[in-house]
């Protein structure tokens, strides 16, 4: 994608600075604002004013549940819940001094489905009651699937706060009744491991933080022009295109990422961007280049190009079990095809111009992906150029700007929204209010067409992002988009100013969990400008 | 401390950019340069050219050791060693395909001292042999104390590398014979939790990374003008000066930090900066202010000021068991003392001018600290103003610039070096070569005086640093200073260019361990400027 770091002052920088000065006293006194401090805001919330306290021996029970948890997805999720809730302070309270009727002994989780396959469209709804009306010594969480239950645990964790008087974890404002489900089924974050290699611990930490914000698709833009870090057993020289021998992922590493994400309710959307953005492939197999001097797009005239794509997608299908694969198709500069003699001859013989060749390449790659059981995501240029030729199983991935989704769904195709002016995290001048206000259904009113917008994605292109700055470039801006994608439209703030306190609170919560989320004030990933409370920055 | 972010281009920015362009090809091909990739460089290293491979069931044994490890410091250190070594990739190799005589089954650690008290000057030396000449199926580590053994484990971990052919951990270039010990006994990093509150997980991660670089003093600048986050049981309203109710540390939290650091061989030096930098104390106890309108330094005329210092240091002595406490004493602007009527009257009555009152305050605070069993560290202004009056147990902490240490040791006092132009991490224009080349013994030739320089410290002042950017502001620059403080003078590079490859390698190793160490190119905490290998940035 084209990188731009426009340096003009975004109006929000000024507005936010003024607002924070005004609200600083209020916010910092309350430790993050009053009201309901849950991010993203659930579909329905009601609460009271009584406090409960979590027992030191807080237990998971599953009475009445159909789900067997054979792979310990729930058990591990509960264990992570206890970890994040207990991270910030030493819990040393004397429970004998706390009224026994206000102590929560545990959480009972009731899951109705036995199936724990994580697939696109899985039921993510949950209902959380604290305490349980039937048994006030327990909290109660029910969900159709274990993945809904994981979301419930995330919500629960945000209601838990260390109490400095009793020195135990407090859940204030009970009784809580929360029923919740996502507005969109596809809520993604793109990570680019080609422009900079991101080590496994970095990717895992990003996945952890995605779960905190209820994002559910890790779009792994694995390879690109600059490097090819992934092992492909069918074509073992492809990862010769890695930056260095250490900056590579084995198949087992990739499978570990998929496993790690899946256990947190997150699918991995693998991308193989063709025919452009593929220069690094030729380091191992130079015949994929039109010529040594003109190295991309992949040589459309060479059957080997499609053989390699077939091999890669065959290997992908053993690792990446998500319903979709992303085939890219963006920013294809066909210059090399017309200037390289053997390719231009081939075009001539076929009676194709370059645009037709681009279409031919994309559609042929689609067919290969379909043959491996995938549905396809393609960047919007494919739709803009030959939308009516795309396989009906295509999801068009918008990025160039606004207004694309409405054309895509009018054509009967599905769409993912990522317009770069609002949802590209590498655009440091796109601030969190821009992220928050970007509405995927803009100008789409027909309910049938609305359903074709399956969701959206924020994109962390890696040109200037490595382990040293990835977290603060992602957060808190990705969280602003996460609420847009999760929360029912009518519950969303109409003015982002209304959510400053709550988003600040979520950012400080991320910090308390060790996630390097940046201040709300300033451009993306700005350092704090002066001393001050987390709740006023 | 005075904050400056000078924006002039440091000459090293240019030099490094050019160098990286030149070395990029070489470095990236080798995955981090050849030779001995250990940081900081040990006192003595020799190696061969044979590879060993770590068994999947790599064990700790302690045959011949006197140390009982009752508190599991060694066992936990070994467990962390296994964790960091296995983080980057899935270890899936088939050991039946590896020559059995090249498999390391474990590490035998021999510790001669039974004592595991971590105190200033504890023996940190170790000897590491891989494999053991006696038993080539094991590596061999010996040390006087468990803390020396922990350093040996850190060195060992840097020799372990995932091998992409065998898919197991390889130790290449064996046999290794490493004997090692630090040049200076005090190797510190200052963290400031007053300008921004740093949550416990953030502090713990910083402590983890300090251990990777063999730093051994966590100088905790807990409170300052802006906020007072720590609970003081003797004066329970002091932490009313915290930024918010959530941005506080309980006594148990502080004790947990001390415990966590100690188990990694790191002492905690607590600072109570008086009489300046103490405005926040008066939020809970306004009578500590000279007046409501003139709020610092602490009121020298009020006995309550010293009573509170006594109470705090009494509480400190139960948590912070390090031999030293830091009493600050820097940047004292006595204006409030002369302009506040009751204070100026008091001065007049005593026949004191403001300078004498400053001396009176510092020396009285010293006496209180001594009464609680501490030796004292004070910032250099105390020495510059009344060095001959300081208690002989004082260690003078240099910060204003170079050339101070030689005056301090000539006066017979001990010194810690932190000259701001080279070792202040908040000075973003002080680059890693500046950090590397800053020699604590400059112009000190008398061996007796040299011994009085007990070490040095890099300082991470918190004005623009919170969880979002602390790691990349610290690393890799703190590592450059860490080698200066650890490695024998004769083994240090005379030109920082010589260590680019090895420091780059250490930075990439930190990244692989999930530490957000910044690129070597650019000012402190700069984002990577373009796509590329970690080994070329």
């Amino acid at each position: 994608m084209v990188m731009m770091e426009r340096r003009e002052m975004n109006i929000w920088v000024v507005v936010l600075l003024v607002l924070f000065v005004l609200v600083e006293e209020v916010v910092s006194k309350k430790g993050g604002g009053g009201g309901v401090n849950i991010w993203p805001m659930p579909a329905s919330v009601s609460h009271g004013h009584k406090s409960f306290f979590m027992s030191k021996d807080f237990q998971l029970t599953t009475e009445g549940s159909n789900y067997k948890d054979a792979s310990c997805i729930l058990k591990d999720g509960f264990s992570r819940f206890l970890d994040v809730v207990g991270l910030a302070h030493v819990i040393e309270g004397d429970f004998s001094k706390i009224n026994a009727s206000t102590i929560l002994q545990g959480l009972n989780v009731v899951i109705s489905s036995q199936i724990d396959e994580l697939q696109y469209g899985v039921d993510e709804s949950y209902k959380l009651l604290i305490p349980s009306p039937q048994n006030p010594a327990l909290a109660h969480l029910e969900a159709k699937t274990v993945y809904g239950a994981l979301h419930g645990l995330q919500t629960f964790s945000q209601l838990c706060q260390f109490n400095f008087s009793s020195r135990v974890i407090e859940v204030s404002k009970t009784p809580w009744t929360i029923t919740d489900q996502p507005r969109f089924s596809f809520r993604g974050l793109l990570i680019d491991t080609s422009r900079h290699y991101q080590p496994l611990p970095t990717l895992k930490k990003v996945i952890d933080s995605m779960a905190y914000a209820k994002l559910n698709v890790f779009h792994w833009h694995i390879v690109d022009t600059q490097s090819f870090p992934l092992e492909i057993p069918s074509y073992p020289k492809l990862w010769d295109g890695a930056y260095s021998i250490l900056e590579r992922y084995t198949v087992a590493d990739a499978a570990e990422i998929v496993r790690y994400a899946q256990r947190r309710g997150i699918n991995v959307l693998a991308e193989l961007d063709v025919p452009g953005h593929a220069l690094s492939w030729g380091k191992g197999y130079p015949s994929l280049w039109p010529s040594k001097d003109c190295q991309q797009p992949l040589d459309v005239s060479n059957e080997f190009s499609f053989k390699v794509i077939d091999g890669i997608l065959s290997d992908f299908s053993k690792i990446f079990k998500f319903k979709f694969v992303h085939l890219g198709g963006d920013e294809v500069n066909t210059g090399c095809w017309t200037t390289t003699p053997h390719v231009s001859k081939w075009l001539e013989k076929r009676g194709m111009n370059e645009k037709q060749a681009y279409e031919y390449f994309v559609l042929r790659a689609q067919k290969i992906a379909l043959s491996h059981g995938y549905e396809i995501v393609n960047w919007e240029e494919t739709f803009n150029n030959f939308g009516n030729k795309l396989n009906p199983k295509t999801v068009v991935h918008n990025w160039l700007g606004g207004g694309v989704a409405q054309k895509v769904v009018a054509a009967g195709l599905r769409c993912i929204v990522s317009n770069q002016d609002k949802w590209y995290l590498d655009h440091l001048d796109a601030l969190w209010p821009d992220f928050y206000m970007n509405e995927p259904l803009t100008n789409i009113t027909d309910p049938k067409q609305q359903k074709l917008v399956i969701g959206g994605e924020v994109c962390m292109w890696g040109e200037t992002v490595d382990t040293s700055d990835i977290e603060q470039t992602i957060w808190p801006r990705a969280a602003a988009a996460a609420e847009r994608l999760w929360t029912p439209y009518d519950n969303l703030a109409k003015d982002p100013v209304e959510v400053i306190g709550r988003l600040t609170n979520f950012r400080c919560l991320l910090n308390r969990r060790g996630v390097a989320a940046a201040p709300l004030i300033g451009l993306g990933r700005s350092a704090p400008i002066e001393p001050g409370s987390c709740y006023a920055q």
Side-chain angles (χ1 to χ4, degrees), chain A:
Chain A
M1 303 292 134
V2 177
M3 291 299 103
M4 290 193 301
E5 293 188 11
R6 281 166 288 153
R7 294 287 180 193
E8 312 101 66
M9 185 64 104
N10 182 310
I11 184 66
W12 282 111
V13 176
V14 182
V15 172
L16 290 173
L17 267 172
V18 174
L19 273 166
F20 266 101
V21 171
L22 293 176
V23 300
E24 176 160 6
E25 275 305 296
V26 184
V27 173
S28 63
K29 289 253 166 65
K30 288 193 182 171
V36 175
N37 266 327
I38 305 171
W39 193 280
M41 184 59 86
S44 158
V45 185
S46 77
H47 68 87
H49 297 284
K50 196 182 157 191
S51 280
F52 271 79
F53 300 91
M54 274 175 68
S55 160
K56 197 151 191 175
D57 189 34
F58 193 82
Q59 297 286 331
L60 171 68
T61 59
T62 54
E63 211 175 306
S65 194
N66 292 320
Y67 176 67
K68 304 293 174 234
D69 202 28
S71 36
C72 295
I73 295 174
L74 178 62
K75 192 167 150 273
D76 290 354
F78 182 76
S79 162
R80 290 194 303 275
F81 161 81
L82 291 181
D83 283 350
V84 297
V85 159
L87 269 180
H89 299 281
V90 177
I91 296 165
E92 48 162 345
D94 179 354
F95 282 90
S96 71
K97 290 186 183 156
I98 297 171
N99 181 342
S101 72
T102 64
I103 297 176
L104 286 173
Q105 302 293 347
L107 169 69
N108 191 55
V109 180
V110 182
I111 296 170
S112 52
S113 169
Q114 293 189 25
I115 298 162
D116 66 3
E117 200 203 354
L118 179 66
Q119 217 8 299
Y120 172 73
V122 68
D123 191 298
E124 298 180 277
S125 68
Y126 67 91
K127 185 173 181 178
L128 177 64
L129 304 171
I130 315 174
S132 160
Q134 273 70 51
N135 180 353
L138 296 179
H140 175 86
L141 172 60
E142 58 187 65
K144 295 261 171 29
T145 72
V146 66
Y147 301 106
L150 292 181
H151 289 312
L153 283 170
Q154 294 296 347
T155 300
F156 193 178
S157 75
Q158 294 189 25
L159 299 175
C160 297
Q161 192 77 269
F162 182 77
N163 178 303
F164 283 80
S165 303
S166 61
R167 312 282 162 126
V168 302
I169 300 296
E170 177 182 14
V171 183
S172 61
K173 297 181 189 157
T174 67
W176 287 96
T177 303
I178 298 173
T179 53
D180 202 7
Q181 63 181 58
R183 181 175 173 217
F184 292 103
S185 53
F186 187 110
R187 306 178 305 281
L189 167 64
L190 178 149
I191 299 292
D192 169 5
T193 57
S194 176
R195 276 62 178 254
H196 285 92
Y197 178 82
Q198 305 286 354
L200 244 54
T202 309
L203 296 179
K204 287 182 175 178
K205 206 165 162 225
V206 167
I207 289 168
D208 284 335
S209 57
M210 287 175 69
Y212 301 155
K214 299 191 174 79
L215 293 173
N216 72 348
V217 178
F218 179 88
H219 175 176
W220 192 355
H221 187 85
I222 311 174
V223 306
D224 205 295
T225 296
Q226 286 82 354
S227 77
F228 197 117
L230 181 64
E231 176 181 29
I232 300 293
S234 301
Y235 292 92
K237 284 199 242 166
L238 278 170
W239 69 353
D240 291 0
Y243 278 131
S244 69
I245 55 166
L246 294 182
E247 290 167 297
R248 297 188 292 176
Y249 307 104
T250 65
V251 166
D253 292 340
E256 167 65 9
I257 289 298
V258 171
R259 188 199 67 85
Y260 190 90
Q262 184 254 328
R263 297 179 69 79
R264 286 151 182 81
I266 295 169
N267 274 299
V268 176
L269 171 64
E271 178 170 355
L272 190 74
D273 195 346
V274 294
H277 291 278
L279 183 146
S280 63
W281 303 31
K283 291 263 172 71
Y285 299 97
S287 69
L288 293 169
W289 292 332
S291 77
K292 235 184 151 176
D293 305 319
C294 213
Q295 301 177 323
Q296 61 182 1
L298 296 166
D299 187 346
V300 64
S301 73
N302 188 347
E303 278 303 298
F304 185 59
S305 300
F306 299 99
K307 232 180 119 191
V308 171
I309 291 170
D310 187 52
I312 296 174
L313 290 177
S314 167
D315 289 347
F316 269 23
S317 69
K318 292 162 200 148
I319 312 168
F320 303 111
K321 305 290 187 184
F322 194 35
K323 175 178 179 170
F324 301 103
V325 73
H326 202 304
L327 291 181
D330 58 313
E331 298 185 313
V332 180
N333 176 344
T334 51
C336 282
W337 289 350
T338 45
T339 59
T340 305
H342 81 268
V343 186
S344 69
K345 260 183 218 153
W346 182 91
L347 289 177
E348 211 175 307
K349 201 171 148 193
R350 300 252 171 163
M352 274 188 200
N353 62 26
E354 8 176 357
K355 217 175 151 183
Q356 290 165 323
Y358 164 45
E359 176 185 325
Y360 162 80
F361 200 114
V362 167
L363 296 181
R364 198 163 160 192
Q366 286 207 332
K367 274 191 201 125
I368 297 170
L370 289 163
S371 79
H372 291 290
Y374 282 120
E375 299 190 19
I376 304 129
V377 186
N378 269 119
W379 293 109
E380 69 169 274
E381 288 97 321
T382 59
F383 174 81
N384 300 342
N385 282 282
F386 44 89
N388 58 340
K389 304 279 183 60
L390 290 172
N391 187 287
K393 286 190 175 173
T394 308
V395 179
V396 177
H397 196 166
N398 150 248
W399 74 276
L400 285 164
V404 176
Q406 59 187 110
K407 290 180 203 152
V408 173
V409 297
L413 290 175
R414 291 168 295 179
C415 187
I416 299 164
V417 170
S418 292
N419 42 313
Q420 59 173 343
D421 52 333
K422 306 294 184 188
W423 276 4
Y424 265 25
L425 292 158
D426 53 300
H427 287 226
L428 301 181
D429 62 343
L431 305 190
W432 69 262
D434 301 313
F435 278 77
Y436 191 88
M437 295 308 289
N438 192 41
E439 171 51 42
L441 298 190
T442 300
N443 295 332
I444 303 172
T445 50
D446 175 349
K448 257 165 89 183
Q449 291 190 6
Q450 288 183 337
K451 273 195 184 153
L452 293 173
V453 179
I454 65 173
E457 202 181 276
V458 289
C459 300
M460 184 65 281
W461 295 105
E463 278 77 355
T464 64
V465 171
D466 61 17
T467 294
S468 73
D469 60 345
I470 190 168
E471 286 187 348
Q472 63 270 41
T473 317
I474 293 174
W475 307 107
R477 294 180 300 156
E483 175 149 307
R484 174 66 50 179
L485 289 165
W486 177 275
T487 303
Y489 182 81
D490 290 341
N491 296 10
L492 290 166
K494 302 307 167 236
D495 182 339
V497 167
E498 295 165 26
V499 302
I500 289 183
R502 194 160 48 84
L503 183 57
T504 301
N505 190 72
F506 184 68
R507 181 245 161 172
C508 298
L509 175 135
L510 289 175
N511 283 179
R512 271 202 302 282
R513 294 179 182 183
V515 178
L520 270 71
I521 294 175
L523 298 175
R525 76 176 170 223
S526 286
I529 50 171
E530 58 180 15
S533 166
C534 182
Y535 294 96
Q537 302 199 317

